[in-house]
Amino acid sequence: MTNSNNYNELNRQLIQNKIGMTAAELHGFLSGILAGGNHDESWKILTKDMLNDGQSIAEPLNKEIEKLYHSTKQQLIDEDFEFQLLLGDQDLFTQIDDLVGWVNHFLLGIGLVQPKINRVKGDVGEAIYDLRQIVKLGYDENEDQQELGFAFEEIKEYVRITAMLCFDEFNESDITPTIH
């Protein structure tokens, strides 16, 4: 199934279950939890709280969320940099809105797992600061579509790399081999 099909199907299920979140926002939230270093099943509780005020989630949707969580985790662990943001492929303005929603929910997810994220220094601290600025970005529908498209692709790639950087930073103990 393509990224677009995954996005559309997940969005359809979220709407059907009256969940006020897009597939991009859900993926950003799960990516943030993973990047923040979550190592247990508490992600399920955080997700239920976020999506459905702590209430259980209908089973077909719950399975999709678990599948998304595990595939995202595998992409982040993979050393081939396969991690991709789950965004729709609609018009450019909708994609920009999806990206901003993804980043906003990524920050929420990572903040839940790393409550002192504001105190992180170095490259990761700067990247988190940059993500906060990206959330504030706006656009004018009269802007040059080509320039806006190039800027969008650059920002999207920066966000993707930043998510992987955060994952590496907060998951080092799982990835680094033990030396005796």
Side-chain angles (χ1 to χ4, degrees):
M1 195 183 310
T2 67
N3 209 19
S4 177
N5 287 344
N6 285 338
Y7 178 91
N8 292 333
E9 174 58 22
L10 188 53
N11 249 353
R12 186 190 66 71
Q13 286 190 34
L14 289 166
I15 291 167
Q16 181 181 337
N17 285 277
K18 296 176 176 56
I19 305 291
M21 184 183 279
T22 67
E25 291 167 338
L26 174 60
H27 186 252
F29 183 71
L30 294 175
S31 298
I33 289 171
L34 286 162
N38 177 265
H39 301 291
D40 57 28
E41 295 294 305
S42 66
W43 73 269
K44 292 178 181 181
I45 295 166
L46 294 171
T47 304
K48 265 197 321 192
D49 284 348
M50 182 69 184
L51 293 178
N52 209 23
D53 292 328
Q55 303 300 311
S56 62
I57 298 169
E59 200 43 48
L61 176 57
N62 196 44
K63 278 188 177 175
E64 285 300 311
I65 292 169
E66 287 199 20
K67 197 163 64 172
L68 179 62
Y69 174 87
H70 292 293
S71 67
T72 302
K73 184 176 185 177
Q74 190 56 50
Q75 285 180 1
L76 285 165
I77 290 170
D78 191 6
E79 293 180 11
D80 294 333
F81 303 107
E82 293 294 320
F83 176 74
Q84 295 296 320
L85 310 183
L86 182 62
L87 305 174
D89 61 359
Q90 311 89 331
D91 66 277
L92 179 59
F93 300 115
T94 305
Q95 288 181 53
I96 293 170
D97 291 342
D98 264 0
L99 179 62
V100 169
W102 192 99
V103 171
N104 198 23
H105 284 77
F106 176 85
L107 290 169
L108 178 60
I110 200 169
L112 287 171
V113 180
Q114 291 289 330
K116 296 181 180 178
I117 194 80
N118 291 338
R119 297 185 189 144
V120 174
K121 303 288 183 216
D123 291 342
V124 174
E126 288 178 32
I128 294 295
Y129 173 81
D130 291 344
L131 291 181
R132 287 192 179 108
Q133 299 313 302
I134 288 169
V135 170
K136 298 175 186 175
L137 287 179
Y139 56 83
D140 181 355
E141 292 189 14
N142 297 323
E143 286 184 57
D144 181 320
Q145 291 278 315
Q146 191 171 8
E147 282 182 35
L148 194 57
F150 287 136
F152 168 76
E153 289 300 327
E154 285 181 12
I155 293 169
K156 183 172 84 170
E157 181 63 10
Y158 181 80
V159 168
R160 185 180 84 82
I161 297 299
T162 296
M164 291 187 295
L165 175 71
C166 289
F167 182 82
D168 287 348
E169 175 75 15
F170 298 117
N171 289 278
E172 280 187 279
S173 61
D174 285 357
I175 298 170
T176 307
T178 306
I179 300 173
H180 296 279

